[in-house]
């Protein structure tokens, strides 16, 4: 018998509270084609330094450390214009070209847990575009060297004149329910007892809904009936966009794939225990709060609780 799944009934969802969901900067695209304006903004701009490992400079309290443009060596040419906030310009620069050696650095995941949503979003933007720049120095068409323009957001081949732009890889991430249980999986490299919602990259010529069906079947053997989009999260590790879905599934017995060490259904009570302030030492561990995965799990848990008969 098919059981109706209230998880897809169109009930409004809460506003996202995960990392990198802040609007961040006004990217001010109209300024990218104005080198003189960018040079003037650089002089009083704020600059984030990001190294090859994706870490940024921080102060002694592990807070955001933004530099004045004029304090950095030969940097205006190499800086990437991120945008404006309250008429303040922000730029990103590779630490290795800045002429400055930070005494302390912080990774993006840690920053997302410690900083304001706005600061973490600016760091995420800087890390993602600098990663693209560092790995796209030559043309994918002919192999010629690239020169960068438009505030660092466009590469142009000096040989064939092909244009190149920052790449973002879309991936679906899905809270899958059979009406009463939630399907979660784990990778072998994760901490013990850590489980998360299933995710996978969109393939060429594929809709997001088709990706949900394919990825869930490939990773778990569970068949999807229908799905609905909820929210998205930039995930610059190094350059993905996570597209969050909820999905109604058949109550199939899950089977682990080559990508997952284990995949199984969890009850509402098991999810609730993992979300509690005092989880058990041997119980389920969920995705960290900075991720859209955790938000999807919490949304499912709250929705099931709200729609159960009293």
């Amino acid at each position: 018998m098919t059981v109706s799944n209230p998880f897809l009934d169109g009930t409004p969802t809460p506003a996202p509270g995960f990392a990198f969901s802040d609007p961040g900067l006004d990217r001010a695209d109209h300024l990218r084609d104005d080198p003189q304006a960018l040079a003037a903004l650089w002089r009083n701009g704020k600059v984030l330094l990001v190294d090859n490992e994706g870490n940024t400079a921080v102060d002694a309290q592990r807070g955001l450390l933004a530099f004045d443009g004029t304090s950095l060596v030969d940097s205006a040419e190499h800086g990437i214009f991120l945008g404006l906030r309250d008429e303040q310009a922000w730029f990103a620069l590779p630490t290795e070209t800045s002429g400055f050696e930070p005494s302390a650095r912080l990774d993006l995941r840690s920053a997302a847990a410690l900083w304001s949503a706005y600061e973490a979003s600016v760091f995420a933007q800087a890390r993602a575009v600098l990663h693209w720049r560092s790995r796209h120095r030559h043309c994918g068409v002919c192999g010629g060297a690239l020169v960068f323009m438009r505030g660092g957001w466009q590469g142009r081949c000096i040989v064939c004149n092909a244009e190149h732009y920052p790449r973002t890889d879309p991936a679906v991430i899905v809270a899958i329910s059979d009406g009463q249980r939630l399907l979660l999986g784990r990778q072998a490299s994760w901490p013990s007892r850590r489980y998360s919602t299933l995710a996978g990259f969109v393939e060429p010529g594929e809709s997001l809904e088709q990706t949900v069906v394919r990825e869930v079947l490939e990773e778990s053997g569970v068949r999807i009936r229908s799905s609905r989009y909820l929210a998205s999260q930039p995930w610059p590790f190094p350059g993905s966009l996570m597209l969050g879905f909820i999905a109604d599934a058949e109550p199939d017995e899950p089977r682990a794939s080559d990508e997952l060490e284990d995949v199984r259904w969890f009850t509402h009570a098991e999810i609730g225990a993992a979300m509690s302030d005092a989880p058990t030492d041997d119980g389920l561990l969920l995705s960290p709060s900075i991720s859209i995965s955790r938000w999807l799990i919490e949304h499912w848990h709250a929705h099931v609780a709200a729609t159960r008969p009293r």
Side-chain angles (χ1 to χ4, degrees):
M1 180 179 67
T2 300
V3 179
S4 174
N5 187 347
F7 194 33
L8 271 77
D9 65 2
T11 303
T13 57
F18 42 76
F20 321 131
S21 59
D22 186 271
L25 300 168
D26 172 3
R27 302 202 176 195
D29 179 80
H30 65 285
L31 292 174
R32 293 177 181 176
D33 280 322
D34 192 340
Q36 291 183 334
L38 293 180
L41 289 169
W42 173 271
R43 288 193 288 271
N44 295 310
K46 296 297 182 183
V47 185
L48 270 66
L49 302 184
V50 183
D51 64 25
N52 287 332
E53 302 301 319
N55 304 315
T56 193
V58 293
D59 59 25
Q61 287 73 45
R62 304 181 80 194
L64 174 65
L65 182 59
F67 295 80
D68 294 329
T70 53
S71 67
L72 300 171
V73 176
D74 188 27
S75 300
E77 176 185 352
H78 304 288
I80 294 174
F81 174 61
L82 299 177
L84 303 171
R85 176 136 169 171
D86 299 328
E87 300 184 357
Q88 173 70 67
W90 287 81
F91 295 82
L93 188 71
T95 302
E96 292 76 12
T97 66
S98 69
F100 183 84
E101 182 62 31
S103 58
R105 309 183 193 204
L106 191 67
D107 66 278
L108 182 54
R109 281 184 172 87
S110 298
L114 295 172
W115 296 357
S116 70
Y118 161 66
E119 291 178 336
S121 293
V122 175
F123 182 12
Q125 179 188 355
R127 187 188 191 279
V129 72
L130 283 172
H131 183 273
W132 167 75
R133 277 275 297 266
S134 69
R135 284 156 178 78
H136 292 81
R137 299 175 182 176
H138 294 85
C139 178
V141 178
C142 73
L146 299 183
V147 293
F148 292 94
M149 53 195 65
R150 301 206 75 243
W153 291 85
Q154 178 187 336
R156 185 182 294 276
C157 178
I158 64 174
V159 178
C160 72
N161 215 36
E163 296 178 353
H164 301 266
Y165 297 90
R167 171 176 174 170
T168 298
D169 297 320
V172 299
I173 184 164
V174 196
I176 304 150
S177 176
D178 66 353
Q180 296 298 319
R181 301 175 298 174
L182 188 68
L183 186 70
L184 301 177
R186 64 167 277 106
Q187 296 181 12
S189 61
W190 290 355
S192 176
R193 300 181 286 112
R194 168 69 55 79
Y195 282 77
S196 181
T197 49
L198 273 58
F201 287 103
V202 181
E203 292 188 347
E206 188 174 53
S207 72
L208 300 179
E209 291 78 9
Q210 289 170 338
T211 305
V212 169
V213 172
R214 176 183 56 78
E215 281 288 346
V216 174
L217 188 63
E218 289 176 357
E219 295 188 1
S220 69
V222 172
R223 295 166 294 165
I224 296 297
R225 295 170 178 161
S226 60
S227 64
R228 178 163 65 90
Y229 169 80
L230 286 186
S232 63
Q233 180 185 33
W235 195 247
F237 302 104
S240 300
L241 176 65
M242 306 305 294
L243 301 155
F245 279 77
I246 53 175
D248 180 19
E250 299 288 351
D252 298 326
E253 185 66 26
R255 51 172 175 75
S257 65
D258 293 340
E259 298 182 42
L260 298 177
E261 178 185 65
D262 187 33
V263 58
R264 68 183 183 92
W265 294 107
F266 289 87
T267 66
H268 187 264
E270 289 174 314
I271 299 295
M275 289 170 48
S276 70
D277 294 332
T280 61
D281 292 336
D282 58 353
L284 169 68
L285 291 178
L286 298 175
S287 309
S289 60
I290 69 168
S291 69
I292 190 174
S293 174
R294 178 61 174 263
W295 178 79
L296 288 168
I297 292 169
E298 292 178 350
H299 170 62
W300 174 82
H301 186 270
H303 188 85
V304 171
T307 55
R308 279 182 168 175
R310 299 293 181 181

